[in-house]
Amino acid sequence: QEFMASRSHQPATAVTHIELHRPEKRNAMNKAFWREMVECFTQIAEDPDCRVVVVSGAGEVFTAGIDLMDMASEVLQPEGDDMARTSWNMRRIIAKYQETFSIIERCPKPVVVAVQGACVGGGVDLITACDIRLCTQDAWFQVKEVDIGLAADVGTLQRLPKVIGSRSLVNELALTARKMYADEAKESGLVSRVFPDKEAMLAGALEMAGEIAGRSPVAVQGTKVNLIYSRDHSVAEGLNYMATWNMSMLQTEDVMKSAAASMEKKSPKTITFSKL
């Protein structure tokens, strides 16, 4: 039973487009999804032809979240001869599912996610692990987990407070499971842009990805890695890591190439950068 996260690559722009492709089930996340996302982003992280990733969902809805029917046997009935062994196995299962979204964050290529319609439960875990979030005017977001009797455990509670400035709003969304619509998502900082419809959003996402892909991959990937490091460390630690990072990464031909283009009033997109 495949989830079919379809993947298309545009060599001209160095952008890889991943589409959650199970529209008949509202892109609900079944067992195959959790496995395929890890395989997909493991490949992308090492693919020198890919510089930026766009993630979107097929059909009218981004994702309805976890497919409870498909996942129930593993999640609700972990194996083990006693409480300790059952718990050990349960922890292993949860950690495996956490990895599905952590791998997006660890991928050095920036990830732009485009959300239309519903983004529920696991969908919020997914988008908070991405770097740039866009949505349509009809999009809505819901931290659904408390409604089905559990605390969200694959990233939302850890990443959403880092994304939205208001701790009170994060707590409200996570504790009440209420829906948040596009305007509030934009106002709170969950998304940075709202588009009138899916077609305009995907065009905007691919255009934005193209702008990022046109810059030096040394600069872009170093920026993503250091933004995430700084989020999780003090300013002093972040600056120290940055100095250590750039003591080697500044020794790149990309700086001279970019500076020359800038002096000639040319876009960085006119430069041919070596693969990374």
Side-chain angles (χ1 to χ4, degrees), residues 1 22 25 27-31 34 64-77 97 120-122 144-145 147-150:
Q1 184 184 13
R22 202 184 172 211
K25 295 285 189 182
N27 297 325
M29 300 168 169
N30 60 3
K31 285 177 189 168
W34 302 89
I66 194 169
D67 184 337
L68 279 170
M69 300 308 290
D70 188 64
M71 307 287 291
S73 60
E74 186 172 31
V75 175
L76 300 180
Q77 297 166 316
Y97 290 134
V120 178
K144 182 76 174 165
E145 281 82 353
D147 276 359
I148 55 169
L150 62 128

Side-chain angles (χ1 to χ4, degrees), residues 41-272:
F41 274 93
T42 301
Q43 289 170 359
I44 284 168
E46 297 173 2
D47 180 1
D49 291 318
C50 168
R51 291 186 186 171
V52 189
V53 183
V54 172
V55 177
S56 66
E60 303 292 306
V61 166
F62 179 70
T63 179
I66 194 169
D67 184 337
L68 279 170
M69 300 308 290
D70 188 64
M71 307 287 291
S73 60
E74 186 172 31
V75 175
L76 300 180
Q77 297 166 316
E79 296 174 353
D81 291 339
D82 61 12
M83 174 90 71
R85 287 167 177 80
T86 303
S87 299
W88 190 272
N89 287 332
M90 190 65 179
R91 188 179 193 283
R92 187 175 47 80
I93 290 165
I94 294 167
K96 181 179 74 175
Y97 290 134
Q98 288 175 342
E99 179 65 12
T100 298
F101 300 137
S102 293
I103 201 161
I104 298 174
E105 197 171 76
R106 280 205 310 276
C107 174
K109 323 294 170 78
V111 181
V112 180
V113 66
V115 177
Q116 83 284 5
C119 177
V120 178
V124 179
D125 294 284
L126 191 164
I127 68 167
T128 52
C130 298
D131 302 297
I132 299 171
R133 287 165 292 279
L134 314 173
C135 77
T136 53
Q137 193 60 58
D138 72 349
W140 51 274
F141 305 84
Q142 188 175 21
V143 184
K144 182 76 174 165
E145 281 82 353
V146 290
D147 276 359
I148 55 169
L150 62 128
D153 58 5
V154 288
T156 290
L157 302 186
Q158 291 69 40
R159 294 190 179 100
L160 192 59
K162 307 277 192 180
V163 170
I164 295 178
S166 168
R167 198 78 196 204
S168 178
L169 178 59
V170 170
N171 295 347
E172 180 192 335
L173 293 170
L175 295 168
T176 66
R178 77 162 171 86
K179 295 178 182 178
M180 178 163 76
Y181 294 92
D183 289 344
E184 189 183 1
K186 170 81 162 60
E187 187 186 321
S188 68
L190 178 60
V191 301
S192 49
R193 289 177 66 183
V194 179
F195 294 83
D197 54 47
K198 185 181 178 183
E199 188 180 356
M201 173 180 66
L202 283 177
L206 290 167
E207 182 186 358
M208 187 184 290
E211 286 294 322
I212 297 167
R215 271 70 186 170
S216 156
V218 172
V220 166
Q221 294 177 39
T223 297
K224 170 169 177 172
V225 168
N226 279 277
L227 280 168
I228 290 173
Y229 186 90
S230 292
R231 183 197 67 189
D232 297 335
H233 295 79
S234 71
V235 172
E237 288 170 321
L239 286 168
N240 185 48
Y241 191 77
M242 188 79 244
T244 306
W245 184 275
N246 260 8
M247 72 184 191
S248 55
M249 291 298 134
L250 281 177
Q251 300 183 58
T252 171
E253 61 185 17
D254 295 12
V255 173
M256 294 305 289
K257 284 182 176 180
S258 300
S262 179
M263 288 164 73
E264 293 170 24
K265 300 285 192 284
K266 289 181 179 174
S267 163
K269 291 198 284 186
T270 61
I271 307 167
T272 303

